[in-house]
Amino acid sequence: MKTRAITEGALLAAITVITALISNYIPFMSVLIFFLPVPCVILYQRHGLAVAAVSSGAAILILLLFMDPISVVSIGLFSSFPGLVLGWCYKKKKDGFFRLCAGYVIYLCVFILAILLFQLVSGVSFMEDYINTLNEASSGVMQVYQSSGVLSTDQIASLQTEVDSLMTSFKLMLPACFLLIPFFMSWFTIVLCDYTLRKLRISFYPLTPLYEWQLPRSFKLFSVVLIIGTAVLMYGFPDVSETYSVTIMAVLSVIFGLMGFSFIFWLTRLKLAGKGKWLRIMSVILCLLIPVLFEVVLFIGMLDVYMGLRRFFIKS
């Protein structure tokens, strides 16, 4: 290896270690986990696979001095594998959509591998541990209210019903979360990689901005068939697992929600001539805080997908 490659590898390994320690020991900084693959991507782009792999391995070995092995393995999985795969994509000049799909696949595989390792080490099924954790949490909440004496017997019974319903929703949403979280992790990681490489003046094909996202025409027919099929299963075959229908509807809701935000971002850029940045940020924050607003955005996304709202504003 060249001296420059060794120096940059050591520097970026140190940055990876510091970032991992901050994300692990400071709760509100855990979002920095999305940044962990970035040093590996930079090294792969500048010096190739060998330097990136050696630097990642060195960072993992150093982390063993400060953290327990299980945490280090988890951080290694979520930094090294996505970093190497995305680094290859940037090195080969793959476009943003290809990188997004590659990132999704590798994060999904990492999730599966992490679950398998958890079950191998602990000897406990991941689903059983998740359900037991939910049950313990709900029991703890009810015990607090029962011991406080603030609520009457009828109110306690009503609260228990609501808590049970909420716990059931959490259980049903687990498969949807398992499918959706890798997508958002891939998206955020690629946005950070694009930003960093742009600052370093390294050439690459940037990810298409959200306001330019549009679904292909083939998705319209596919989504209609999927929605009708899910509705038939929900109302015509109640014996079919409810988890399937909840998962499908959750995934479609996220897709149409993203299309709704895409249309809003596109419209503000068109009408406000680039001055609507804070309006776009506030729209996302308000939708996260007020669920009803997200339903509106979802409906706008459906209209844009099936009716092509943008053509009306372009004509006007």
Side-chain angles (χ1 to χ4, degrees):
M1 294 183 185
K2 297 181 179 179
T3 304
R4 184 173 183 179
I6 296 174
T7 303
E8 291 184 5
L11 176 61
L12 290 174
I15 293 175
T16 302
V17 170
I18 294 172
T19 305
L21 292 174
I22 293 174
S23 65
N24 187 70
Y25 290 111
I26 304 178
F28 62 88
M29 297 296 288
S30 58
V31 69
L32 287 177
I33 191 174
F34 296 115
F35 182 79
L36 290 177
V38 176
C40 188
V41 170
I42 296 173
L43 285 173
Y44 201 126
Q45 176 76 350
R46 291 174 63 86
H47 301 292
L49 174 62
V51 176
V54 170
S55 177
S56 297
I60 293 173
L61 292 176
I62 295 173
L63 284 173
L64 286 172
L65 301 175
F66 304 98
M67 300 168 59
D68 61 278
I70 296 178
S71 298
V72 173
V73 169
S74 300
I75 290 176
L77 288 176
F78 284 96
S79 62
S80 299
F81 287 106
L84 292 174
V85 170
L86 291 176
W88 177 85
C89 293
Y90 280 99
K91 187 74 172 179
K92 298 298 182 179
K93 303 294 184 182
K94 301 296 182 181
D95 58 39
F97 178 74
F98 185 93
R99 296 199 305 272
L100 187 63
C101 294
Y104 174 80
V105 171
I106 191 61
Y107 271 119
L108 185 62
C109 293
V110 166
F111 265 103
I112 295 173
L113 183 58
I115 290 173
L116 293 176
L117 289 176
F118 168 81
Q119 295 184 161
L120 180 64
V121 173
S122 64
V124 179
S125 170
F126 175 78
M127 283 298 298
E128 291 181 2
D129 183 72
Y130 175 76
I131 293 173
N132 290 334
T133 302
L134 290 180
N135 291 334
E136 291 174 2
S138 62
S139 299
V141 170
M142 292 308 303
Q143 288 176 3
V144 170
Y145 279 104
Q146 289 171 358
S147 60
S148 65
V150 176
L151 302 179
S152 64
T153 305
D154 293 338
Q155 290 175 323
I156 289 292
S158 176
L159 180 61
Q160 181 67 61
T161 302
E162 293 180 2
V163 170
D164 291 342
S165 176
L166 185 62
M167 293 300 106
T168 301
S169 299
F170 283 153
K171 295 173 185 177
L172 292 174
M173 285 298 296
L174 181 60
C177 294
F178 183 76
L179 292 174
L180 292 172
I181 290 176
F183 168 77
F184 287 103
M185 292 188 70
S186 174
W187 186 16
F188 294 154
T189 301
I190 289 173
V191 169
L192 287 173
C193 289
D194 283 6
Y195 176 81
T196 306
L197 293 178
R198 189 177 298 112
K199 291 296 182 180
L200 294 174
R201 298 181 180 180
I202 298 176
S203 62
F204 64 96
Y205 295 112
L207 179 66
T208 303
L210 180 60
Y211 65 86
E212 293 184 7
W213 287 18
Q214 287 187 283
L215 295 175
R217 293 182 178 180
S218 57
F219 179 82
K220 299 179 182 179
L221 178 60
F222 173 74
S223 61
V224 169
V225 172
L226 198 59
I227 292 172
I228 294 175
T230 303
V232 170
L233 287 177
M234 289 175 62
Y235 299 105
F237 300 91
D239 294 336
V240 177
S241 175
E242 189 178 359
T243 305
Y244 170 80
S245 57
V246 171
T247 302
I248 294 299
M249 297 310 296
V251 172
L252 288 176
S253 295
V254 170
I255 291 174
F256 288 126
L258 287 175
M259 291 303 100
F261 282 120
S262 175
F263 175 79
I264 293 173
F265 289 7
W266 174 85
L267 186 61
T268 54
R269 288 180 63 87
L270 179 67
K271 298 299 182 180
L272 300 178
K275 298 179 181 179
K277 179 179 179 180
W278 287 106
L279 180 60
R280 294 191 291 271
I281 294 174
M282 287 303 300
S283 66
V284 175
I285 294 175
L286 289 175
C287 287
L288 293 176
L289 297 176
I290 307 174
V292 176
L293 292 180
F294 180 76
E295 298 294 333
V296 176
V297 173
L298 192 151
F299 182 69
I300 293 174
M302 294 181 67
L303 291 178
D304 188 39
V305 170
Y306 294 116
M307 296 179 58
L309 290 180
R310 304 186 192 207
R311 57 191 174 92
F312 297 109
F313 291 91
I314 292 176
K315 290 181 179 178
S316 60

